[in-house]
Every structure is written in C-alpha cells, then in structure tokens.
Amino acid sequence: MFELIFAIFVVTIVIYGQGLAFNKYILRKNILISDFFEIFFFGFIFLGFNILLINFFYPIDKIIGTLVLFLSVIILVIDILKNNQIKILLIKFIILTFISFFLIAFSNVNRPDAGLYHLPFISILNENKIIIGLSNLHFRFGHISIIQYISSAFNNLIIPIQSISIPIALIFSSFIFFLYTSLKESLKQNNIYFSLIYFMIFIVSVYSYNRFSEYGNDAPAHIFFLILFTYILTMGKDEQSFSNILLISTFLVLLKP
C-alpha cells in the first residue's frame, strides 16, 4: 500500500515538473500557484511529446525514465525555492495522490485492452527506438495512443514497473480536483451559469470514470475533451488562450485518432 502511495506521489511530481518546464522554458510564462491545474494538464502533454521525440533516437528504458524523473524533481525544487509555495503544492499533491490511490485500489484486474494492446506496445517502447510500420506486423499496434508513451516514461530505477498505469489514474484525479475547485470558486463568485456547468460535468465524470480497470485509451481522451470544452467556455480573447486550445486539440488527436 505504502509503495503504491509513494509511486503515485512520485508520478505526480514528475508530471507537474514537466508542466513547469513547458510553461517556464517553452512558453516563457510567469507561473502562479493559481495555474496549478493548467501546469498539471500541460505536464501530460509536454511529457508525451518529449517521450515521442526521444523514442525516434533511443528506447525509453530505465535510464531515460530515471533522467526524466530527476530532471522533473530538479525543476520543481528550483521553482519551490524561488516562490516558497511548498505547503500549498504539497497539499495539492497529497490530494491527487489519495484520489488516485483509491481509484486504483478499488479497481479489479480484468484489463483485456491492456494485455492485448497497451502493455505490449509499452514493452516495445522500453526496448526499442521507434519502429515505423509496426501496425503492419500486428493490427493491435494500431490501437495505441500517446498515453502509452507517457506511461513508458515511468519505467525507471526508483518506482516499480507497475507504475506505468498511474498516469491514467492521475488524469482523472487532476480533472476531478479541477472541477471541484472551479465549482467552489464559481459559487463564491455567485456565477450560476458556470457553477451549473462545472457541477454537471463533475457528476457525469464521477459516474462515468470511476472504474479504473475499464479506462483503456478512451477515458483519457474523453477527459481531455472535457478539459478542452471548459477551456473554450472560459477562454479569453488573447493569443495565449487560443494557443492553449490549439495545443490541447492537437494532443487530443494523438490520444484517440
């Protein structure tokens, strides 16, 4: 149990660290603690693109996975020392960790999609650089997603190999936490329109995505589509808002063509 909690916590740190790297060094954006969920969501996107790029030249083995982990931790530590937000971040990391823990702990072991499609492909990523035309060898390799690239990044020397399933759980956890926080903020501002939308999405998401063993590649794609939907509803009329929506839309295509 404690090993699983520790692994989820580590994966949470890695994804947030990747989001920090993307926002600070690619977008050149000033990071605020209120941007937590945007950083986290973009962490999945940036990690997926990074691993896909690396796989063109090198297999995603334990060395690559460990490097990704340590670089993410270093970026996070630098940000914490600069902004002194360790308490707030720690609380949010713990909340995400325990939501994911209960989601995984109460799942069953019947995961046919993982055995047929996802896990064999992750194994190929861990052992080989990209193989062009792999689906010609077997059609099942045409049923994969960039989620498998993200999962393959957590094959490292620190946490057990079973941790490759944790990122999918964290997509749900971060989205539910985001909806709850947004709903709470909308109610404080007495914004009935957005409160109703956030509430409806929250109820539908809890009902639809509470069985982790049935996720496959469909649930992450559905969740990121709902993230895109909320971004469109709340977007400003600036270039950055449009860029965020374009980035999520591109990621959606790679999630579930």
Side-chain angles (χ1 to χ4, degrees):
M1 181 179 75
F2 293 108
E3 185 180 48
L4 176 59
I5 292 173
F6 173 73
I8 296 171
F9 190 77
V10 169
V11 174
T12 304
I13 289 174
V14 171
I15 292 171
Y16 188 80
Q18 290 289 307
L20 278 177
F22 179 70
N23 279 274
K24 293 183 72 171
Y25 304 120
I26 305 298
L27 298 182
R28 301 288 182 178
K29 181 179 176 183
N30 292 324
I31 301 299
L32 303 173
I33 195 64
S34 57
D35 297 324
F36 177 84
F37 294 106
E38 181 176 315
I39 294 169
F40 206 80
F41 295 145
F42 284 3
F44 288 105
I45 297 173
F46 190 56
L47 179 60
F49 285 140
N50 277 338
I51 296 301
L52 177 60
L53 180 62
I54 292 170
N55 192 232
F56 274 93
F57 309 100
Y58 200 80
I60 313 304
D61 57 14
K62 288 185 181 292
I63 296 174
I64 295 296
T66 306
L67 283 173
V68 168
L69 191 156
F70 279 114
L71 285 174
S72 301
V73 171
I74 290 169
I75 292 168
L76 177 61
V77 169
I78 292 172
D79 185 73
I80 287 173
L81 292 175
K82 184 178 179 181
N83 298 312
N84 196 26
Q85 299 283 358
I86 185 169
K87 184 177 179 181
I88 299 173
L89 277 178
L90 186 60
I91 291 171
K92 292 185 176 182
F93 286 166
I94 290 172
I95 291 172
L96 289 178
T97 298
F98 277 95
I99 295 174
S100 300
F101 170 75
F102 286 112
L103 183 69
I104 294 172
F106 287 100
S107 66
N108 59 47
V109 295
N110 181 27
R111 300 183 183 128
D113 283 356
L116 289 173
Y117 310 117
H118 311 155
L119 296 180
F121 187 74
I122 292 172
S123 178
I124 289 173
L125 295 178
N126 293 152
E127 296 172 0
N128 304 275
K129 65 179 184 180
I130 199 164
I131 302 174
I132 306 299
L134 186 61
S135 61
N136 291 327
L137 299 179
H138 199 288
F139 73 92
R140 65 184 175 183
F141 297 124
H143 293 272
I144 53 89
S145 161
I146 199 169
I147 285 292
Q148 275 72 70
Y149 285 88
I150 295 172
S151 296
S152 69
F154 295 98
N155 173 33
N156 57 53
L157 300 170
I158 308 299
I159 53 180
I161 188 64
Q162 291 84 353
S163 303
I164 59 176
S165 63
I166 292 174
I168 302 178
L170 274 171
I171 291 175
F172 170 81
S173 304
S174 56
F175 183 57
I176 289 298
F177 192 19
F178 161 72
L179 289 174
Y180 171 78
T181 305
S182 301
L183 175 60
K184 187 177 178 182
E185 191 64 31
S186 295
L187 290 172
K188 279 185 180 179
Q189 296 174 0
N190 201 27
N191 189 326
I192 304 301
Y193 175 71
F194 283 116
S195 298
L196 182 61
I197 289 174
Y198 285 128
F199 176 75
M200 291 176 66
I201 297 175
F202 180 85
I203 294 299
V204 169
S205 299
V206 170
Y207 175 77
S208 301
Y209 311 123
N210 61 72
R211 287 177 288 189
F212 178 66
S213 57
E214 296 183 1
Y215 271 22
N217 289 329
D218 297 325
H222 294 165
I223 291 171
F224 265 93
F225 180 80
L226 291 173
I227 292 170
L228 175 65
F229 177 69
T230 58
Y231 260 94
I232 292 173
L233 284 178
T234 58
M235 70 177 288
K237 296 182 179 180
D238 56 289
E239 185 179 342
Q240 185 61 57
S241 297
F242 178 75
S243 298
N244 291 347
I245 289 173
L246 185 63
L247 181 62
I248 298 172
S249 301
T250 305
F251 185 66
L252 266 170
V253 175
L254 297 175
L255 273 175
K256 190 73 175 176

